[in-house]
Amino acid sequence: MTDQDAAGRADGEREAGGGQESAGDRPTAAGRAGEAAMAGGAARAAGEDGTAAGTAPGDRPVTDAGSAVRAGAPAPAAHTPPRPGAVRAFIGSFTSAGGRGVVVADVDPGTGALKETGATDAVADPSFLAGGRDAVLYAVSEADDGAVAAFDVSGAAPGLLGAAAPVRGAGPTHLCVAAGHVVTANYTSGSVSVLPLAADGSPRAAVEVLRHEGSGPVVERQAGPHAHQVVADPGGRWILSVDLGTDSVRVCALDPATGALRLHHECGLRPGSGPRHLAFHPSGAYAYVVHELDPVVTVCRWDAEAGVLEPLGETALATPGYPSGIVVAPEGRFAWVAVRGRDALAVLALSAAGDAAELVATVPCGGHWPRDLALDPAGRRLYVANERSGDVTWFDLDPATGLPARAGALPVSAATCVVLA
């Protein structure tokens, strides 16, 4: 049994092959008991360190705990259509664990505070979201029969655009919009799917499924491929897929006319590190890969012309836990990493060129089990989706030091993702 098993496996983990869910993806009986205790008062206070003995395995909270958070939340107030240029927050959540699906909130332009305006549970487990064009939002449905849904978010609450489209893969955990298509990373089946978009922005059936191959040395987590993230490079020419199971990042070419996806290059990373997500430097010349199985960030050089990602070095986060997401400041001075288990945010100072990263601080994330994080468009505030405590917490960022200062929180049961647009 690994440290990851003992402390609680991270989200999306399922047994490799056959699509069977492991204890890490949905709560077991023991997990439910642990979460019930947490909901009854055994939960750690915001910012407390470590993984307590009562912490349940798995990434999703149980329905009872989620319902308790939701019951205490204020009812949404009346809402007027958003002003042109206004920033809004879109929050994903696990409906199977008490979440209400896709939640929408207005962002106060002065304070950054979130005020919920509406929600929809039209699709199950919309765990990750991505913005599109013309007030269209996309969500994966993280299920064994994975799907993508599109929502009209021009009003107070999201409205489903057509039917959800199957991805022909299992357990999609991430998606991006590129060249008139939606691309998904399917964790359980270890594949990447491409779905064309209709004129109204709704997804059509998948036209391409590229299956990853390979494995890693951590048998419990890396018996086969586990695609965890897909992202278009800053120039929009390449699609990069981060695979936790094979310790690699694949670079693919996407044909905008047909949706065909062709493997161009594979960047191998340290065996057993379990890469999960990456983010680009604003210059587009470097990328930072955060690893789930080992708390490190790999700094990579990105050659956009050649379509080649090259590792340069690692920066240890110097904290036990299971990193989830990473974001980079718009001016490229800092990066922030969410670390589950430790319930922390790691602050990294980046070199002037972006080719090196240094850990400068670790601060509490404001809740429990930070699964995702996002910056506001100006880079002044950081928003963290704390899944097990059921909230999205926001922080003011010191422009000189990059240090986050907690400013408030919005209750959102089983929160998994936050996107600001």
Side-chain angles (χ1 to χ4, degrees), residues 47-249:
E48 185 177 345
D49 184 27
T51 49
T55 300
D59 199 38
R60 305 181 186 183
V62 298
T63 303
D64 291 344
S67 298
V69 174
R70 187 172 67 253
H79 179 263
T80 56
R83 303 181 313 277
V87 176
R88 306 175 76 196
F90 305 99
I91 304 159
S93 66
F94 282 126
T95 58
S96 61
R100 290 181 294 129
V102 179
V103 177
V104 181
D106 286 338
V107 179
D108 186 286
T111 66
L114 301 182
K115 181 179 181 182
E116 184 183 331
T117 64
T120 179
D121 59 359
V123 298
D125 293 339
S127 64
F128 206 88
L129 313 175
R133 57 177 178 78
D134 300 329
V136 177
L137 181 77
Y138 296 93
V140 295
S141 177
E142 189 176 333
D144 288 337
D145 296 324
V148 168
F151 297 91
D152 179 348
V153 290
S154 60
L160 190 63
L161 282 175
V167 301
R168 295 167 51 199
T173 56
H174 199 272
L175 78 168
C176 68
V177 181
H181 295 79
V182 168
V183 186
T184 69
N186 310 317
Y187 181 90
T188 304
S189 54
S191 61
V192 173
S193 300
V194 181
L195 296 82
L197 299 177
D200 66 351
S202 60
R204 296 173 175 168
V207 295
E208 175 78 283
V209 179
L210 179 65
R211 301 194 181 280
H212 291 182
E213 295 180 357
S215 60
V218 182
V219 177
E220 297 88 348
R221 299 295 308 277
Q222 297 183 312
H226 291 301
H228 216 308
Q229 184 200 34
V230 285
V231 61
D233 83 308
R237 180 179 176 186
W238 307 102
I239 300 294
L240 287 78
S241 58
V242 183
D243 196 300
L244 183 149
T246 63
D247 293 315
S248 64
V249 177

Side-chain angles (χ1 to χ4, degrees), residues 280-282 327-336 350 375 379 397:
F280 282 97
H281 188 270
V327 292
V328 179
E331 77 286 352
R333 292 186 60 199
F334 300 101
W336 296 268
L350 305 180
L375 288 169
L397 296 173

Side-chain angles (χ1 to χ4, degrees), residues 212-213 215 222 239-252 263-276 278 280 286-289 291 298-303 306-314:
H212 291 182
E213 295 180 357
S215 60
Q222 297 183 312
I239 300 294
L240 287 78
S241 58
V242 183
D243 196 300
L244 183 149
T246 63
D247 293 315
S248 64
V249 177
R250 289 168 173 80
V251 180
C252 295
L263 179 61
H264 170 76
H265 165 74
E266 184 169 1
C267 170
L269 298 167
R270 182 164 53 81
S273 59
R276 177 184 171 101
L278 69 75
F280 282 97
Y286 299 95
Y288 311 95
V289 182
H291 300 259
T298 300
V299 180
C300 299
R301 178 181 291 110
W302 170 242
D303 186 333
V308 173
L309 190 70
E310 175 191 1
L312 298 178
E314 291 184 354

